[in-house]
Amino acid sequence: MKFQTSQRVVTLWSNQSKRALKVMIEPQRLADDSVQESDLYDSILRLGHFFELDFSINIDNSPLQLRAFASEWRPFDSRSPQNPSLGLSVISLTGTGKEAGDIGRLNDLNREHGVRQLQSDFRIPTKFASAVTSTCEVLNYFGPHVARSYYLRLDSGGFVPPMRECRFPGELKTFQLVQAVTYPNQSSFVFLHGEQRVFLKEGSVYFFNALMSHSLFSFSDNVVLLFCNVVINSDSVRLLRSKLLEK
């Protein structure tokens, strides 16, 4: 897998050093590119706000492959340690998967640390990106367009409160995908998207409009989802369209 390296400097917070770091990330696009990105995103939304993609992914080995990294999951919501939700970084800011912004709700982390990172700023794969077969299929398909991505694991009582992307103009740089890696029966997990409850199939990959409010709650242990951001451009949107179930 090949991912583009970085050339623009932003400030982030390091969990390990507890100090601000300067990290190189991909070049900043011209200001008028935000208009193009918005138009491209609108072209996706004409297809729907939540729809399945045509991936045939065998996830039989995924639980075992993830179990090899059982000790490396980190709290997804550091402000609520009692919330049984954990994260594992796949595409990160520096490649370690241990920076504050690599997992969790990015808007909250930006406010907490006084920075303004975008999903598209995270472009470096961690060791977990190639460790799980089902993840590789999605990442390899979108290739250099893949941005901030992570596994989310919810145990019984685990939740992600309502959230949405892009609080400010010009932040719309990526579209979002979700894959159900390990998934219980439908009654044991709730995914609210807008005012609708949506249902996932284990192994399937979905586009969802993350500008709409979405939240999660689990009644079962070991529910694992992959959340993947893909940088919006004409190539990535073409790749997405080629994966529509209805051609």
Side-chain angles (χ1 to χ4, degrees), residues 116-245:
R116 189 177 173 186
Q117 296 168 344
L118 304 179
Q119 304 283 5
S120 56
D121 292 338
F122 298 72
R123 304 298 293 276
I124 304 178
T126 69
K127 61 184 178 182
F128 310 114
S130 58
V132 180
T133 307
S134 62
T135 302
C136 289
E137 293 192 42
V138 179
L139 300 184
N140 285 336
Y141 179 75
F142 287 101
H145 312 298
V146 175
R148 184 175 185 255
S149 302
Y150 56 85
Y151 286 108
L152 169 66
R153 192 183 95 196
L154 297 177
D155 290 327
S156 182
F159 65 94
V160 176
M163 60 180 291
R164 69 175 78 230
E165 299 295 338
C166 302
R167 297 173 60 246
F168 300 100
E171 288 188 348
L172 182 62
K173 303 292 185 182
T174 61
F175 60 81
Q176 286 75 30
L177 308 175
V178 60
Q179 179 192 25
V181 181
T182 62
Y183 195 70
N185 59 63
Q186 302 287 10
S187 62
S188 298
F189 183 77
V190 177
F191 189 146
L192 291 179
H193 185 247
E195 297 181 354
Q196 301 293 322
R197 181 180 178 183
V198 295
F199 298 94
L200 310 180
K201 293 183 294 186
E202 197 169 62
S204 295
V205 180
Y206 302 82
F207 164 85
F208 72 100
N209 180 6
L211 299 179
M212 295 175 61
S213 176
H214 51 283
S215 58
L216 310 170
F217 189 90
S218 180
F219 298 93
S220 297
D221 288 338
N222 198 35
V223 178
V224 178
L225 306 175
L226 169 69
F227 285 91
C228 179
N229 279 273
V230 181
V231 174
I232 299 172
N233 55 51
S234 57
D235 287 338
S236 64
V237 172
R238 175 184 54 79
L239 289 169
L240 178 72
R241 285 177 170 273
S242 71
K243 281 294 185 180
L244 293 176
L245 283 174

Side-chain angles (χ1 to χ4, degrees), residues 12-26:
L12 68 148
W13 186 262
S14 169
N15 279 337
Q16 296 176 315
S17 64
K18 301 299 182 185
R19 62 185 176 85
L21 299 176
K22 297 292 184 180
V23 176
M24 306 300 293
I25 62 173
E26 64 169 341

